[in-house]
Amino acid sequence: MRDMENGAAAAKNKARDRPQKAKHTSASSTQQLPPQDSPDSPTLLRLNKALALYGVCSRRMADRLIALGRVSVDGQVVRAVGTAIAPGQRVAVDDTVISNQRFHTRIYIHHKKKGVLVSSNDPSDKATLFHHLRAMGLPRVVSVGRLDYNSEGLLLLTNDGELARHLELPDNAYERQYRVKVHGKVTPEKIASLARGITIKGFKYKPIIVRIEKQMNTNVWLHASMREGKNRELRRVFAELHWQVSQLHRIKYGPYSLGRLRKGDVREVPLLGRVKKFVVERDTKRREKRGNVASKEEGGHEMGGRVVTGTKSTREEAQLERAIGTTAEISDS
């Protein structure tokens, strides 16, 4: 009896130690890393964040592209929102590789013309700003905010989606300066009300500093400065004061000025002031985190270039599929 029990125990241990047969996974599936290699690990980067960093689109739009199966990692289509990638992996959107070289933040100034749509596509198939930029040989870039169809002047462009978001956020209070031609009665009282900040239909607008540059009967050229940049803010606020805008030019955004750049031209400019500080501090923190994690993992688990997926991917995919087609636009004027 004892020999039988020993034999059964030995068979059980042998079966437990035998390598398990790998489960079959389709080409479009992703592999799961151990829990310690979560998508928030400093050695990994969420795929939507990577697309934003390379100037492809915003993180929200990246989630939609992923859910639609338009993004691949190392040739494998990824549909799980929350996917993370390891350094060096090959990322492509619609079969166009976007991560085959070392990333460097670049920023450009562009003199936008009136009558140009700041969008990647137009339902009426009209040429857009980004068609024009691609024809000029620019790399993938995103705009910092927008100028509407009838506005012109300085538009910042960058290949760094995080930097674009940093520049846009009202909390970071980058100054925007404009020259605006209006028709209407401009009074000191109205100018003072703008400096205090006004509320329109329940929306509170932060102070806008306005001064008169030139007055010609009922047409007035104004210089306006603000630090918020809500959707069509100047046009909405001026309309509330019964000032009809006929021309709107943005001449400055943060440390960058339009200068004598000709209409339609683009020029690369260096990182300046707070912009440079943001990029340097962000990149330094990333290197430090990766260095710390690498030293802890030395000799330990190898990631092997595998892909991580978040636990809520299925539910989020369904939500995003239903939300496709609803895009939020940002316009500063």
Side-chain angles (χ1 to χ4, degrees):
M1 179 66 70
R2 181 173 299 175
D3 291 340
M4 291 177 63
E5 291 176 351
N6 292 337
K12 185 176 180 181
N13 291 335
K14 185 176 181 181
R16 183 189 60 196
D17 296 335
R18 185 184 299 125
Q20 298 296 312
K21 185 177 180 180
K23 294 182 179 180
H24 174 72
T25 56
S26 66
S28 61
S29 66
T30 54
Q31 299 178 6
Q32 190 78 23
L33 290 185
Q36 63 266 26
D37 292 315
S38 71
D40 294 317
S41 169
T43 60
L44 299 173
L45 185 66
R46 284 187 179 273
L47 186 53
N48 61 356
K49 188 173 182 179
L51 294 178
L53 279 172
Y54 277 92
V56 176
C57 57
S58 66
R59 292 194 199 184
R60 182 178 297 178
M61 184 57 67
D63 283 338
R64 294 173 182 170
L65 293 176
I66 294 166
L68 287 173
R70 295 173 59 184
V71 182
S72 63
V73 178
D74 292 338
Q76 176 180 312
V77 173
V78 176
R79 290 180 178 271
V81 176
T83 295
I85 58 172
Q89 288 193 286
R90 183 177 178 272
V91 179
V93 178
D94 295 334
D95 297 323
T96 300
V97 178
I98 58 101
S99 62
N100 60 347
Q101 58 185 350
R102 184 176 176 82
F103 179 82
H104 294 283
T105 293
R106 302 174 73 178
I107 192 164
Y108 306 82
I109 59 173
H110 169 60
H111 192 158
K112 178 192 172 297
K113 298 178 181 179
K114 186 176 181 178
V116 175
L117 188 65
V118 182
S119 175
S120 57
N121 57 71
D122 180 38
S124 61
D125 292 328
K126 292 179 181 178
T128 68
L129 171 66
F130 292 99
H131 289 109
H132 172 64
L133 296 176
R134 282 193 289 271
M136 295 177 67
L138 250 69
R140 287 179 179 269
V141 292
V142 293
S143 62
V144 178
R146 300 191 185 193
L147 285 173
D148 65 31
Y149 188 77
N150 291 316
S151 299
E152 54 190 303
L154 176 63
L155 185 68
L156 296 182
L157 307 166
T158 178
N159 64 340
D160 188 330
E162 277 195 347
L163 174 59
R165 185 60 176 157
H166 169 77
L167 284 161
E168 290 170 352
L169 284 174
D171 288 346
N172 293 326
Y174 281 96
E175 184 183 37
R176 293 93 154 156
Q177 293 185 19
Y178 301 82
R179 293 188 71 242
V180 191
K181 185 179 181 181
V182 301
H183 176 80
K185 189 175 182 180
V186 179
T187 65
E189 291 76 19
K190 289 182 177 180
I191 292 177
S193 70
L194 291 175
R196 293 190 297 268
I198 64 175
T199 301
I200 303 174
K201 296 181 179 179
F203 289 95
K204 174 68 176 177
Y205 292 90
K206 292 184 178 179
I208 301 174
I209 308 303
V210 172
R211 59 178 171 83
I212 297 175
E213 282 193 345
K214 186 177 181 181
Q215 190 154 4
M216 304 166 289
N217 298 322
T218 56
N219 291 315
V220 186
W221 274 103
L222 302 174
H223 179 281
S225 172
M226 62 184 188
R227 296 181 179 272
E228 187 171 34
K230 288 180 179 176
N231 184 38
R232 297 175 61 84
E233 180 169 345
L234 280 180
R235 293 184 184 274
R236 294 178 189 275
V237 169
F238 286 4
E240 181 71 11
L241 300 177
H242 305 290
W243 297 346
Q244 182 181 353
V245 175
S246 58
Q247 294 186 52
L248 192 151
H249 305 253
R250 182 156 65 196
I251 57 175
K252 195 171 188 294
Y253 197 123
Y256 300 101
S257 298
L258 187 61
R260 296 186 178 181
L261 188 67
R262 294 182 302 178
K263 290 184 179 181
D265 283 357
V266 180
R267 184 172 74 237
E268 185 170 3
V269 291
L271 301 177
L272 299 174
R274 291 170 56 201
V275 176
K276 182 176 181 179
K277 183 174 183 288
F278 166 78
V279 172
V280 170
E281 289 182 351
R282 180 199 64 186
D283 293 349
T284 300
K285 288 178 182 178
R286 283 183 183 157
R287 285 193 297 270
E288 290 174 350
K289 285 183 179 179
R290 287 172 182 166
N292 291 338
V293 173
S295 63
K296 291 179 182 178
E297 293 181 348
E298 187 174 354
H301 171 71
E302 290 288 342
M303 290 186 292
R306 290 177 287 179
V307 179
V308 189
T309 58
T311 57
K312 299 181 181 179
S313 59
T314 303
R315 182 171 70 251
E316 291 178 352
E317 272 189 2
Q319 292 172 343
L320 285 168
E321 289 288 356
R322 292 193 296 270
I324 295 298
T326 57
T327 58
E329 294 188 352
I330 300 174
S331 177
D332 288 340
S333 57

